[in-house]
């Protein structure tokens, strides 16, 4: 892969990286530094009115006044859902008012992983505390969350992290990869102190233990998410292309 990146970077006029973390990995692989430009991905913001689903979804799963930690995604081994369940076990032991909801499922090749996650929930005494919804429209379900959990240890740039922020949800996540370019600790989320289930559990417990602070962080999360619009992304890409064309024609 390194040889291909080096070969490609010699021919390319410019290379867009979706985060500084990706840019660093490209540099480490031998890409030419002067050709690398970080332009963060932009998102389509959630449709108006989706927040009205909060009561409906919570009622469907018997969520009353508990703090609901939620996540969304495909059940792939690199996405850290097993880490989330271990963290959930720790957090639930500390705070009985936390419940967890996982929106998504596995592709056919990862069905065994999905089954192992469900067994782990049962084995850890989390039945009823961790809810699997299967594949659903994330924008309809995320309003039911009180905060979002991103359990993957390596995320180049998690669009769902920005989407959660746009929904006014603080994010509990690891301080790694592109995530730390989106989440500022104690500003629009809580970053775990280390890359372990214990560290992630600590971030979850922090958000679950102070509702007033969590709502305040959620409001800031919505404000911060405005930085990652598709319009802004496309504008920066256009500016880069125009600059590269101008430089070539000099």
């Amino acid at each position: 892969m390194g040889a291909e990146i080096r070969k490609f970077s010699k021919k390319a006029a410019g290379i867009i990286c979706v985060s500084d973390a990706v840019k660093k990995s490209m540099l480490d692989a031998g890409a030419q530094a002067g050709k690398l430009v970080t332009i963060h991905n932009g998102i389509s913001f959630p449709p108006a009115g989706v927040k009205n689903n909060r009561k409906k979804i919570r009622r469907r799963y018997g969520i009353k006044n508990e703090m609901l930690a939620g996540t969304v995604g495909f059940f792939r081994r690199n996405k850290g859902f097993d880490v989330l369940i271990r963290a959930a076990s720790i957090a639930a032991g500390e705070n009985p008012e936390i419940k967890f909801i996982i929106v998504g499922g596995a592709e056919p090749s990862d069905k065994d992983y999905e089954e192992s996650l469900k067994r782990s929930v049962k084995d850890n005494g989390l039945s009823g505390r961790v809810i699997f919804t299967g594949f659903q429209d994330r924008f309809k379900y995320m309003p039911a969350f009180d905060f979002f959990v991103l359990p993957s240890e390596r995320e180049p740039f998690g669009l769902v992290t920005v989407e959660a922020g746009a929904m006014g949800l603080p994010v509990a996540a690891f301080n790694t990869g592109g995530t730390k370019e989106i989440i500022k600790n104690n500003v629009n989320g809580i970053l775990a102190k280390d890359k372990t289930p214990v560290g992630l559990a600590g971030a979850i417990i922090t958000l679950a233990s102070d509702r007033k602070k969590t709502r305040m962080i959620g409001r800031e999360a919505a404000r911060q998410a405005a930085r990652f619009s598709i319009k802004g992304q496309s504008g920066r890409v256009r500016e880069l292309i125009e600059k590269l064309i101008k430089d070539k024609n000099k």
Side-chain angles (χ1 to χ4, degrees):
M1 180 63 73
E4 292 178 1
I5 289 173
R6 289 190 293 274
K7 180 180 178 181
F8 179 75
S9 71
K10 289 179 181 179
K11 296 181 178 181
I15 301 172
I16 295 173
C17 304
V18 297
S19 65
D20 288 335
V22 171
K23 183 176 180 179
K24 182 180 183 304
S25 69
M26 293 288 285
L27 283 170
D28 291 345
Q32 296 180 14
K35 295 182 178 182
L36 301 176
V37 179
T38 298
I39 299 179
H40 291 129
N41 281 329
I43 65 164
S44 296
F45 287 89
V50 292
K51 290 187 177 182
N52 296 332
N53 289 322
R54 179 176 173 83
K55 290 183 179 180
K56 176 182 176 182
I57 299 300
R58 289 174 74 95
R59 187 164 54 245
R60 179 179 299 172
Y61 294 100
I63 309 299
K64 296 179 180 178
N65 198 41
E66 299 94 341
M67 289 293 280
L68 187 61
T71 194
V72 174
F74 286 101
F75 293 174
R76 295 171 182 152
R77 296 178 189 277
N78 66 323
K79 292 298 182 179
F81 289 100
D82 53 320
V83 175
L84 173 59
I85 290 169
R86 293 200 295 274
S89 180
I90 297 166
E94 292 285 332
N95 186 337
E97 295 300 313
I98 308 174
K99 284 193 174 182
F100 297 82
I101 189 166
I102 302 176
V103 180
E107 296 166 309
S109 60
D110 288 316
K111 282 296 182 181
D112 60 332
Y113 180 54
E114 180 174 352
E115 291 306 313
S116 74
L117 295 174
K118 292 179 178 178
R119 284 195 304 272
S120 181
V121 165
K122 184 177 180 180
D123 292 345
N124 282 281
L126 293 170
S127 299
R129 297 290 295 275
V130 175
I131 300 162
F132 293 92
T133 71
F135 288 110
Q136 305 290 344
D137 183 332
R138 66 191 184 283
F139 288 136
K140 289 182 179 179
Y141 271 65
M142 286 166 70
F145 304 176
D146 290 298
F147 56 93
F148 187 87
V149 183
L150 184 74
S152 51
E153 294 181 25
R154 297 178 182 84
E155 196 69 51
F157 188 89
L159 283 175
V160 71
T161 312
V162 184
E163 291 172 346
M167 301 284 281
L169 297 175
V171 176
F174 291 113
N175 188 20
T176 58
T179 301
K180 59 187 178 182
E181 297 170 42
I182 304 169
I183 303 302
K184 299 177 182 178
N185 195 36
N186 283 307
V187 176
N188 59 337
I190 301 294
L191 294 172
K193 292 181 179 179
D194 54 64
K195 294 188 293 182
T196 66
V198 174
L200 186 60
I204 291 168
I205 291 166
T206 297
L207 286 172
S209 299
D210 190 335
R211 293 173 185 257
K212 184 177 179 181
K213 181 179 179 180
T214 296
R215 286 193 294 268
M216 180 182 71
I217 294 175
R219 288 192 291 271
E220 182 60 22
R223 193 185 73 80
Q224 292 275 342
R227 297 182 293 139
F228 302 102
S229 67
I230 287 180
K231 182 178 180 181
Q233 177 194 13
S234 60
R236 289 188 286 275
V237 171
R238 183 175 61 251
E239 289 172 4
L240 174 62
I241 292 172
E242 290 173 349
K243 178 181 181 300
L244 293 174
I245 292 172
K246 184 178 180 180
D247 291 345
K248 184 177 181 180
N249 291 333
K250 282 183 180 179

